[in-house]
Amino acid sequence: MNILVTGATGFLGSNLAAALVEQGHRVRILRRATSRLDALAGIDVEHHIGDIEDRASIDKAIAGCEVVFHTAAISQYWLNDNATTYRVNIEGTRNVLAAAKQAGVRRVVHTSSVAALGYGAANALLDETHDLPESQYWWPYGHSKHLAEQVVHDAVADGLDAVIVNPTIIVGPRDVNFISGSIITASMRGQLRVAPPGGANFAHVDNVVAGHVAAAEKGRVGERYILGGENLSYVEMARIAHDVTGGAGPMLVLPKWSLPPLAWLVDFYNSIRKSPPVMTGERMRLGGETFYFNTSKAEKELDLPKTSFRQALIDTYTWYREHGFI
């Protein structure tokens, strides 16, 4: 098939493009002229220069395509202002869906995030029926992904064949911007000695890619599917990272009550420094929450595979070493 992948210069998009090419599909990517191309090294794709905020460039890239994987979004939200996060994640999605409908695309797979579902009570497993509650609208990234899903539902109601997938934290090779790969560098630098009290779900990028492909083939129109892996506390995550990298292991788990004042201090520090923040108060507060998810729906309907977080981290660490990133 002729397939368009938006966001293919990123971590997930590049792995998805590689898998689709390996399966024999003709893959086009929509990217900006200034996009970094390291993650696409060795992948034979057709490049279209444009942006999801430029409808005309989407129309050109999408012409003749049967399937669209829309993975482009602001994911490193802590490095962007809130207005940009909302604009790209919501209006960019609206542009892609409108272009897909006009072009007669057979199916769109929209990459959302479990951020659109929010977080739950301690150790609660959230599933696809959970929506971001109004009490969590303070989190711009999660709120933007929630609103982008509403755009998808509107497009489905208007006749577009679209499926939503909600990855958890993705770990694996080709993470050239060190999004989740920062776990490895932080461990190697001894920065995981102190862990926040929350936790999250971690998925191998190969499994998330497999979930995307399966969603295109057999996902139900208008449905969402959580593409996740292993639920781990952050201290468990840090211990596994220590085993893989040899870096210092965790020595202290912060009490949850300590996070708000620490978040205030982090935000104050960021307000007086000139370089981009490594940590924000927002992320500090989120570190006290548990993002645990039930992936049984995707396992049943999409045959979602499962790989341990340890193996995902080993694969990432090995790839970084083989490609000279660490």
Side-chain angles (χ1 to χ4, degrees):
M1 293 188 293
N2 290 322
I3 297 176
L4 175 66
V5 180
T6 70
T9 59
F11 174 29
L12 170 61
S14 60
N15 278 279
L16 177 58
L20 293 170
V21 169
E22 187 174 342
Q23 291 173 10
H25 299 295
R26 295 176 294 278
V27 178
R28 299 178 187 174
I29 68 167
L30 177 69
R31 69 169 179 86
R32 289 170 292 181
T34 57
S35 293
R36 182 179 175 182
L37 301 179
D38 305 43
L40 284 169
I43 306 174
D44 183 17
V45 294
E46 180 183 332
H47 294 244
H48 283 253
I49 305 302
D51 194 291
I52 61 171
E53 294 190 84
D54 176 10
R55 173 61 192 278
S57 68
I58 304 172
D59 288 338
K60 291 179 181 178
I62 211 170
C65 287
E66 299 162 70
V67 174
V68 173
F69 290 94
H70 176 43
T71 75
I74 295 293
S75 55
Q76 292 176 290
Y77 57 89
W78 56 93
L79 299 179
N80 293 271
D81 61 87
N82 292 341
T84 300
T85 298
Y86 278 102
R87 188 183 70 249
V88 172
N89 290 354
I90 300 169
E91 298 308 319
T93 295
R94 197 185 311 277
N95 287 338
V96 171
L97 298 181
K101 185 153 193 308
Q102 180 175 295
V105 166
R106 181 171 64 80
R107 166 151 288 189
V108 176
V109 177
H110 170 70
T111 306
S112 182
S113 166
V114 288
L117 283 65
Y119 50 84
N123 298 318
L125 294 182
L126 304 186
D127 62 20
E128 288 84 355
T129 64
H130 196 272
D131 277 316
L132 188 77
E134 289 188 19
S135 61
Q136 295 175 26
Y137 284 6
W138 65 269
W139 182 23
Y141 176 69
H143 191 212
S144 73
K145 299 299 280 187
H146 166 74
L147 293 176
E149 286 196 13
Q150 302 311 306
V151 173
V152 178
H153 289 306
D154 290 344
V156 169
D158 194 39
L160 182 68
D161 185 318
V163 179
I164 298 169
V165 290
N166 301 78
T168 59
I169 296 177
I170 307 172
V171 182
R174 297 186 188 273
D175 183 6
V176 298
N177 292 312
F178 286 85
I179 299 174
S180 60
S182 60
I183 295 169
I184 287 173
T185 53
S187 176
M188 294 174 68
R189 294 167 183 164
Q191 295 172 342
L192 297 183
R193 288 180 176 273
V194 178
N201 185 286
F202 299 86
H204 195 299
V205 69
D206 289 351
N207 298 344
V208 176
V209 165
H212 276 71
V213 174
E217 295 173 349
K218 54 188 176 182
R220 288 183 285 141
V221 178
E223 292 290 317
R224 56 154 59 136
Y225 296 91
I226 296 172
L227 306 182
E230 191 172 1
N231 293 305
L232 295 169
S233 70
Y234 291 124
V235 70
E236 290 172 322
M237 176 210 76
R239 286 173 180 151
I240 294 171
H242 157 70
D243 293 344
V244 172
T245 70
M251 299 178 62
L252 173 67
V253 179
L254 293 171
K256 190 170 181 178
W257 62 260
S258 70
L259 298 183
L262 288 173
W264 184 89
L265 289 173
V266 167
D267 283 338
F268 176 73
Y269 175 69
N270 288 336
S271 71
I272 61 176
R273 71 197 297 259
K274 295 181 180 179
S275 55
V278 175
M279 173 59 68
T280 64
E282 179 181 290
R283 295 178 74 196
M284 180 73 72
R285 294 181 186 93
L286 289 170
E289 308 299 340
T290 50
F291 292 81
Y292 292 162
F293 296 93
N294 179 343
T295 60
S296 59
K297 180 179 177 180
E299 291 172 39
K300 180 180 179 181
E301 297 188 23
L302 305 181
D303 297 316
L304 179 72
K306 285 288 191 75
T307 302
S308 70
F309 171 71
R310 182 182 297 274
Q311 188 59 54
L313 210 61
I314 290 171
D315 291 348
T316 310
Y317 181 69
T318 301
W319 189 87
Y320 279 150
R321 288 181 63 87
E322 289 176 348
H323 290 81
F325 282 88
I326 56 174

